Structures are given as structure tokens and as C-alpha cells.
Amino acid sequence: MVFPDPRQSEWQDAEGLQGPLPDGVNLGKRRGAAVTPVWRLLVLVVAAALPFAAGGADDFLAPARDAGRLLAAIEAERPSFTPPAGVTGISVPHHLVAADLVARGFWAASAGHYSRIIVISPDHFHAVKGAFATTRGSLHTVFGKLASDRAGVNALLEYPGLFEALTDIDHEHGVMALAPFIAHFFPDAEVLPVLASINATPADWRAAAEHLKRLLGPETLIVQSTDYSHYLPLGEAVLRDQESLAMIAAKDPRNVPPLLQPSHMDSKAAQFVQMALQSEVYHSHPVVLANRNSAEYDSGTNRTTSYVVTAWLGDPQVASVFDYPDQTRVFFGGDVLAGRYLLPALHDPKAWSAIAEAIDAAAKGKPLLVNLEGVILGGPVTGLGADEHLMLMEDAAPVLSRFRTQAASLANNHANDLGEVGRAESSRLLSSIDIASLEHGVVGDFGSFRVVAINFIRGRLTGERIADPDDLEWVCKLAAAPPLIAFVHWGTEYTDRASAEESAIADRLTACGASLVVGAHPHRASPSIAPLAGGRGQMVYSLGNLLFDQSAPRGSGALMELRVFKQGTIAVRLVPIPNLFEVGRDALGK
């Protein structure tokens, strides 16, 4: 969780945002307290000198009247893939300097058919007297008029203590900057704008979400209009963005209230309501499609604004189709043992095809980093039992290559089962098929991110290749530029949640600079991603099995998608996969 810095005073500017008090100004009021007209005038005068606030609503909306510019942004973001159906929500910026990212969000939802679009926006110019407001007026855009969702508006106005009616919202760029995109992509939809006051409380957010639930259906799209970190130097903005991305990955709206506004985002209310509705009604999962800073649009690096684009879908596998050239994308997988009782399926074309297709559905051809749970040799070894963790190259190579394996961790309790000779042979054979070996304590550089593999589980001949949970200072001394991923072998078999011991290890690794701690060994996949240190780090306790000869419920698996953005932030999500041992076994029986 992130808690406000007690040294920060808060103020409200012409956009209805909060931030550090400008030098020399002391309002003497905290958020939620009434601001006197004299002080409000002073605030507006100060804010008028700030970027993005000087010209008022008209400057923000000038690009929204430029059809050519908007169409160029939309065409530039036309995806190379076929957008999936089933998107229930998107989060997009409302600063049209990032019109391309707005278009990216709407393209993500473009395969859907929506009769109702709910737009949740901050109330930038203090038009809302209470907590939330809406309007019965239609929205006029450069691409035509959008009809008002009168039924939805009337339903909300049944609660006058929470929602009020505005005559129009033509001034509000949180809605009107997005209206042309709605008109272009979904011209027949009726629009229900919801403006959130800066003074709305978490209790108000929860109440609004409960009332909006009654309006949701299969043809409803929830559009969250949000710009993220505001007014910060680029370096600090990147840190705040990472905390916001960790909160989104955790999918829990209870993580929103402690965030800072606008250091993290300009509308915590919109973020909370979106997350509550997506998790509690649609049971949808987020996939972050972009994280970019205004510095990339030549705004300078001293006072910046950040942008995050998110799509929400019910099926995490379907979301794997989203692929963009401005980011690196890989998947991490759990335990792989391409031998033993899996061999009948691996040797049967029909069964092997079923296994490969299951991975293709989840990873969509992107590279994998896996935990290799055993030893690879070029030929059989006499005297070994049938249960040994041995893989022959003729069996392992087709599997690892077909899975597009980029790296395999040997930092586990079985990589040394045949001693140093077996371990060295495994590494040599992996290298022969262009797969990097991740050795215990050694940093692997993958261009846009680094990985350090760490083993905490003792094996037969592990020797010194095991970490002491109470002595991890050596991780702090690693020469590894961020983001650094700790790929750990730890935990208790057949568990899917971290114990206090693993949580403590993850905290220590985060303190030493790990952006993400992802685990293997327990054979069962974790259901969620946990934020660490206020979102500076994240933990996936276990990915379970990728390809291992254990049936459900004893074994389960998930892939973890890692997206690395140009500014060095990462977005993480889990993609459950079927039990591939059972997939192959079932195909053999047909």
C-alpha cells in the first residue's frame, strides 16, 4: 500500500486536481475542507501559471475539434492483430497530446457492440457541488452527435444525495476529449457521463459503484477517463507510475484510497469505480496496453503527466493478443519436466499438438522463460530410477523450442541431481538450441530487463547453490539495471499462497532493487499478484507447473505476462493455463 507523505500539503488547481503546495502558498486547509473565495482565487491564479491549466477547458478541447488530427491518430494506432470481443472496460487519457493512446484504448474495444457507454471522468473545473454529477444533454463532436443515455441518467438521479444533474458538460475535457472517439468507434451507443468531484470520499466511490452496477449488461462499456502522475519530474513520475501499475495488477479497488492525487492519478474515484465494477460484476482482468510520459511528446522532463491505457476482459488468454511495438513482451512459466510420465504424450503427434496449441492460446507466440526442473542429457543413463528428473535432449529440445523458450532457470533443487557434470551438460545442450541458462545468483540481461535466478530449496547435491533467506545483501550489490526480476525457487509444495517466510524474502529482494519476484517449485499456481513496498515491487508466489507430470488438483499452472515499457516500468498479469499433463493424456485417450 502507498501512504501519503505527511510533508505534502494539498491544494486544488484549475483542473480540480491535488498536488504539493506551491512554494510560498499556505492554504491552511486539507482536502475536503471548504476553501474560501479569496483563497480559491489565489489557487486559480497560481494554477494559471502551470502547464496544461493556463488556457482552461478551451485549450484542452481544441484538438478534439480537429477531425484530421484525430483520424490520423486513430489510423496510426490501427492494430496489426484482430481486436478481441469481450472487452468490458478501458482506461484512456484525456490529454489529447496523447491522442494516439486514446485511440489505442478504443481500438482495443472496437470489436464489441455496445448500446451503453459509461464515461467516468474527473470534474476538472469544479462544476460538481456534491460527489458526482451527470447530464441529460447530448454530446456534440466533430464526428457527430452522441445521444444521451436518458434511462441511465434518470436512474442515477434517483439518488440526489450522491448524483446531481448538470445542464451540460461541454467544458469538461475529461468527457469531451473522448467523445469524438466514441462517436467514431461506436456512433450508435448512448453515453452516460459521470463526473467525480475531487471532494468525493471513498464511501461515495463505493456508493456510486453500487448504483452503477444496476446499469451494467453485456452491451455496456465502462470508459475510465484518467491521466496518471501529474506535475512531477520524470524520474519521480516513473516511480509513481510503477506503483499505480502494481495496484492495477492486484485488481483490488481497496488499494486505491491510499494513493496520492494527482501524484499517482487525477481521479482516484474513477479508478476505484472502474476496478470495483470490473472485478465485482464482470469478473474481468486488466491488461495494460501502454504506459507513457508526456516527456515522450516533447513536454520536457521537469513537470510531466503520465498516461496509462488499460483494457479489461473476462478471459485473460484472449487478452494475450494485444501486442504493440513500443514495448517488450515475454511470458514466464513454471516447472518443466519433458520426460518421465509425459513421454507417451510427447511422442504422440495428436497429444503433442494438443499441448502445443494450449500454450499458443495463452502466449500467442511470445518468448517464455521457464524453470527447468531436472537434468538434460544427450542419451540415457543406466542405473537411474523411473522417477528421476531426467530429460533426454531428443524429447526436451522439441518442447522447449516449440514453446519459444528464451531462458531456462537451473536455480532449483533438481538441476544438480546428476552433479556438476550433469548440470554443465544441461547448460551446454540448452545453449546449442539458443536457450540461455539462468544460474543461481547470476544476472541474465535480456535487453529491456534483467533476471536473477535464486534457489532457496535444498536438493540432493545442491551444495553452495542455495540462498540463505536471512542473508540477501549480495542481491543489493548485483550490477543490474532496473527492472530486475527475481526468478526464485522457494515455498512449500502444493500451496498457492506465500507464507510469512516467502513474504519476508520478497520484501528483502524488493528492498535490494527487485521490481518483481516470481516463484516456482510449489507446483500450484497463485491466483493473484501482490504489491510490495507500496507498489515499488510485486510478487507472484508461484507459477505452478508449465509441463509436469502431475494431475489436477495436485498441480496447476499459469503463465505470467511481463510487459516492459520504454520508460522502464513493467506491467504484470497472470494467464491461467490448463493442466498440460491432462491435456496430453486426454488426447491420447481419444
Side-chain angles (χ1 to χ4, degrees):
M1 302 290 283
V2 176
F3 295 93
D5 185 339
R7 296 168 298 178
Q8 276 193 339
S9 299
E10 294 173 344
W11 64 292
Q12 297 181 355
D13 71 8
E15 284 199 85
L17 304 177
Q18 295 167 255
L21 193 69
D23 293 340
V25 179
N26 181 6
L27 299 185
K29 295 286 185 181
R30 301 292 289 176
R31 178 176 51 178
V35 179
T36 66
V38 172
W39 285 117
R40 182 177 293 277
L41 178 61
L42 177 57
V43 169
L44 292 175
V45 170
V46 173
L50 299 177
F52 307 123
D58 190 65
D59 281 357
F60 283 109
L61 288 174
R65 296 187 289 272
D66 187 339
R69 176 177 174 178
L70 297 179
L71 289 173
I74 290 169
E75 184 57 33
E77 281 293 324
R78 181 182 294 275
S80 60
F81 53 86
T82 301
V87 173
T88 54
I90 58 174
S91 170
V92 293
H94 44 249
H95 282 178
L96 289 179
V97 66
D100 55 339
L101 296 187
V102 181
R104 181 176 296 187
F106 279 95
W107 271 117
S110 61
H113 178 269
Y114 306 104
S115 57
R116 168 177 282 159
I117 294 180
I118 301 173
V119 182
I120 310 172
S121 164
D123 169 35
H124 286 99
F125 297 97
H126 305 286
V128 182
K129 296 181 176 63
F132 293 91
T134 184
T135 182
R136 293 187 174 92
S138 299
L139 306 182
H140 297 270
T141 83
V142 69
F143 298 134
K145 184 176 75 172
L146 288 169
S148 169
D149 176 11
R150 293 296 186 95
V153 170
N154 291 336
L156 295 183
L157 293 179
E158 292 177 7
Y159 305 94
L162 189 63
F163 296 95
E164 62 194 71
L166 299 178
T167 303
D168 66 70
I169 57 169
D170 292 345
H171 64 286
E172 179 49 67
H173 60 280
V175 174
M176 297 308 299
L178 308 189
F181 294 89
I182 299 173
H184 176 82
F185 284 95
F186 311 111
D188 298 325
E190 294 183 343
V191 179
L192 172 57
V194 177
L195 306 189
S197 168
I198 195 70
N199 294 316
T201 67
D204 294 328
W205 310 343
R206 167 50 65 187
E210 292 301 320
H211 295 314
L212 284 166
K213 284 180 180 180
R214 299 182 305 142
L215 304 179
L216 304 186
E219 293 189 357
T220 303
L221 178 69
I222 305 170
V223 177
Q224 175 194 342
S225 175
T226 301
D227 291 327
Y228 284 76
S229 66
H230 277 65
Y231 310 141
L232 300 178
L234 180 58
E236 187 176 349
V238 169
L239 294 175
R240 294 302 191 188
D241 284 355
Q242 189 58 72
E243 292 167 350
S244 296
L245 292 171
M247 176 272 303
I248 293 169
K251 301 187 292 187
D252 188 344
R254 292 174 297 180
N255 290 332
V256 175
L259 298 178
L260 293 169
Q261 189 167 277
S263 292
H264 288 102
M265 63 195 66
D266 63 10
S267 180
K268 296 195 296 182
Q271 186 75 60
F272 180 95
V273 172
Q274 175 77 292
M275 293 181 70
L277 296 178
Q278 294 299 336
S279 63
E280 296 166 16
V281 177
Y282 290 116
H283 307 292
S284 287
H285 307 274
V287 51
V288 176
L289 309 182
N291 176 214
R292 196 178 293 171
N293 188 273
S294 61
E296 294 187 45
Y297 296 93
D298 297 324
S299 72
T301 61
N302 291 328
R303 295 175 65 84
T304 69
T305 303
S306 292
Y307 312 112
V308 175
V309 180
T310 308
W312 295 78
L313 298 92
D315 186 347
Q317 285 201 5
V318 171
S320 295
V321 72
F322 292 115
D323 195 41
Y324 304 96
D326 61 350
Q327 55 202 244
T328 299
R329 195 168 151 239
V330 299
F331 285 85
F332 282 68
D335 295 347
V336 172
L337 177 57
R340 219 163 54 173
Y341 305 108
L342 269 161
L343 291 177
L346 299 183
H347 293 165
D348 180 84
K350 183 177 180 181
W352 167 233
S353 178
I355 290 171
E357 288 172 4
I359 290 298
D360 287 344
K364 297 292 190 292
K366 289 299 175 181
L368 265 67
L369 287 79
V370 305
N371 178 56
L372 192 66
E373 193 79 357
V375 179
I376 301 179
L377 296 180
V381 177
T382 61
L384 292 182
D387 288 338
E388 299 294 338
H389 286 227
L390 173 65
M391 293 165 273
L392 298 184
M393 186 62 170
E394 63 185 24
D395 300 318
V399 170
L400 296 173
S401 297
R402 181 65 176 77
F403 286 0
R404 296 174 176 83
T405 307
Q406 186 173 15
S409 174
L410 303 184
N412 58 59
N413 59 322
H414 285 291
N416 225 39
D417 278 2
L418 299 181
E420 289 292 339
V421 173
R423 186 187 196 93
E425 184 67 358
S426 296
S427 183
R428 184 188 72 81
L429 291 172
L430 287 170
S431 179
S432 72
I433 53 174
D434 296 321
I435 296 175
S437 298
L438 298 174
E439 295 284 358
H440 172 80
V442 179
V443 176
D445 193 331
F446 294 88
S448 61
F449 65 97
R450 266 56 52 200
V451 177
V452 58
I454 307 174
N455 178 37
F456 293 96
I457 303 297
R458 190 168 300 281
R460 295 176 182 176
L461 300 170
T462 302
E464 73 281 0
R465 295 174 187 254
I466 185 170
D468 180 352
D470 297 318
D471 182 16
L472 295 173
E473 284 301 310
W474 60 271
V475 178
C476 299
K477 300 174 184 178
L478 291 173
L484 173 65
I485 302 356
F487 197 8
V488 298
H489 200 75
W490 66 355
T492 303
E493 289 186 312
Y494 315 118
T495 61
D496 61 7
R497 287 173 173 79
S499 70
E501 180 179 4
E502 287 86 56
S503 295
I505 291 171
D507 286 338
R508 294 186 192 110
L509 293 173
T510 300
C512 283
S515 302
L516 172 67
V517 181
V518 56
H521 176 69
H523 298 298
R524 293 184 62 189
S526 296
S528 60
I529 302 166
L532 303 171
R536 292 196 303 276
Q538 299 174 77
M539 176 180 66
V540 177
Y541 166 63
S542 174
L543 294 176
N545 293 334
L546 178 55
L547 186 63
F548 203 89
D549 50 4
Q550 290 176 336
S551 300
R554 186 177 178 84
S556 63
L559 297 181
M560 184 199 74
E561 183 187 70
L562 171 71
R563 291 177 188 252
V564 186
F565 302 106
K566 182 179 178 181
Q567 62 181 13
T569 50
I570 62 173
V572 183
R573 69 186 186 95
L574 291 175
V575 183
I577 57 174
N579 185 301
L580 298 185
F581 178 54
E582 293 184 343
V583 168
R585 186 186 61 192
D586 293 346
L588 281 173
K590 293 180 180 177

